[in-house]
Amino acid sequence: MNTHARTSPRDWSATAKSALNNAGRFWFLVAAIGQLLFFAYIVIFYGGSTVRGDFDAWRKVLPRGMIAGDTTGNFLLATHLLMAAIITFGGLLQLLPAVRARVPVLHRWNGRLYVVIAVTISLGSLYLVWVRGTVGDTSQHLGSTLNAFLILLCATLAWRFAKARDFASHRRWALRLFLVVSGVWFFRVGLMLWLLIHQAPVGFDPKAFTGPFLTFLAFAQTLVPLAVLELYLRTQQRASTALRFALAVGISLLTVATAGGIFGAAMMMWLPRI
């Protein structure tokens, strides 16, 4: 007599859904570690050098750091970096379920601050890219501009749905906002992963900081995370068991890639400077 219960399709469906949800949570955990390292780098390196009045340190890292006589540009750059630190930490705080459930007031006010900073930082980046000037070529600047406009779009819709108390739609647009705001972080993680894999600057000129790979990355920093999120959300809601298992595996592989990029960024960019 067979004493083993046969697994039903409903059991497989629940298992697949759980696997997909856990894969998403694990990616977020890895990304959160990477973003906290990025936050620490901004605060310790840029904040520390500012307290010391050592703006030459900025110039060693940023090709167009503090520029003599450019009061407006220098102020916007410093403000941009300060806001980058605030929004990096605030975004992680905003996505914690425990904060939403147990401290809803903090979630609401942090969310308002997050949206205001997101809009401000995107407008500031447009000025820094097109008026003050930065590294890279026009194709990369277009990628950064796309990122800025999508931040404005996602911030507006996340705010609008929250005001309308349509929290399901608000959550989706808040997740999209988190990813597009993280574009700068994705760019660095993607670049360091590429260098770790190839052990050389393949597909771009490191001195001019131009080339086909950097053009690709300027757009991929925004579009790839958004595409994966859309696939994740749609697969969560209405998809076959097989698709849920497949996406869980795919996100797990992306998590490994993300961890590799974080390791490269930490070892080659962030930790040596803090």
Side-chain angles (χ1 to χ4, degrees), residues 105-119:
V105 173
L106 175 60
H107 178 76
R108 286 195 297 271
W109 282 102
N110 184 58
R112 293 181 180 118
L113 178 64
Y114 189 85
V115 167
V116 170
I117 291 179
V119 170

Side-chain angles (χ1 to χ4, degrees), residues 194 200-205 210-215:
W194 184 260
V202 176
F204 70 97
D205 179 353
T210 58
F213 175 70
L214 294 180
T215 297

Side-chain angles (χ1 to χ4, degrees), residues 44-110:
I44 296 173
F45 176 75
Y46 289 103
S49 60
T50 299
V51 170
R52 296 191 303 272
D54 181 17
F55 293 107
D56 285 335
W58 291 34
R59 298 184 183 99
K60 294 175 184 177
V61 176
L62 299 172
R64 292 182 63 82
M66 289 295 184
I67 300 174
D70 184 11
T71 304
T72 301
N74 291 340
F75 174 77
L76 284 176
L77 176 61
T79 304
H80 186 86
L81 290 168
L82 172 63
M83 289 186 175
I86 295 172
I87 205 169
T88 298
F89 186 81
L92 296 175
L93 188 66
Q94 196 66 5
L95 293 184
L96 291 176
V99 173
R100 291 198 304 271
R102 299 176 185 175
V103 199
V105 173
L106 175 60
H107 178 76
R108 286 195 297 271
W109 282 102
N110 184 58

Side-chain angles (χ1 to χ4, degrees), residues 188-266:
R188 284 157 175 75
V189 169
L191 178 59
M192 292 301 107
L193 176 64
W194 184 260
L195 290 174
L196 274 179
I197 292 171
H198 293 281
Q199 295 295 303
V202 176
F204 70 97
D205 179 353
K207 292 184 179 179
F209 208 68
T210 58
F213 175 70
L214 294 180
T215 297
F216 162 78
L217 196 56
F219 289 90
Q221 67 175 351
T222 303
L223 298 179
V224 171
L226 282 179
V228 174
L229 175 63
E230 291 307 308
L231 186 58
Y232 177 78
L233 293 175
R234 292 175 185 272
T235 304
Q236 264 190 329
Q237 294 172 353
R238 48 186 183 277
S240 68
T241 298
L243 282 177
R244 284 176 175 165
F245 273 127
L247 186 57
V249 172
I251 290 177
S252 297
L253 293 175
L254 287 175
T255 301
V256 173
T258 302
I262 291 169
F263 174 79

Side-chain angles (χ1 to χ4, degrees), residues 125-139:
S125 69
L126 291 173
Y127 176 89
L128 292 172
V129 167
W130 293 107
V131 179
R132 191 175 196 256
T134 186
V135 296
D137 57 16
T138 302
S139 65

Side-chain angles (χ1 to χ4, degrees), residues 123-201:
L123 294 175
S125 69
L126 291 173
Y127 176 89
L128 292 172
V129 167
W130 293 107
V131 179
R132 191 175 196 256
T134 186
V135 296
D137 57 16
T138 302
S139 65
Q140 293 174 57
H141 298 165
L142 290 173
S144 298
T145 301
L146 172 65
N147 178 263
F149 280 125
L150 286 175
I151 288 174
L152 294 173
L153 174 65
C154 293
T156 300
L157 291 174
W159 184 288
R160 179 178 296 177
F161 283 118
K163 293 285 287 184
R165 303 189 68 80
D166 181 353
F167 296 119
S169 298
H170 165 71
R171 175 181 175 272
R172 290 192 293 271
W173 282 104
L175 288 172
R176 292 175 185 126
L177 178 60
F178 172 77
L179 291 181
V180 292
V181 165
S182 301
V184 170
W185 181 81
F186 279 118
F187 187 95
R188 284 157 175 75
V189 169
L191 178 59
M192 292 301 107
L193 176 64
W194 184 260
L195 290 174
L196 274 179
I197 292 171
H198 293 281
Q199 295 295 303

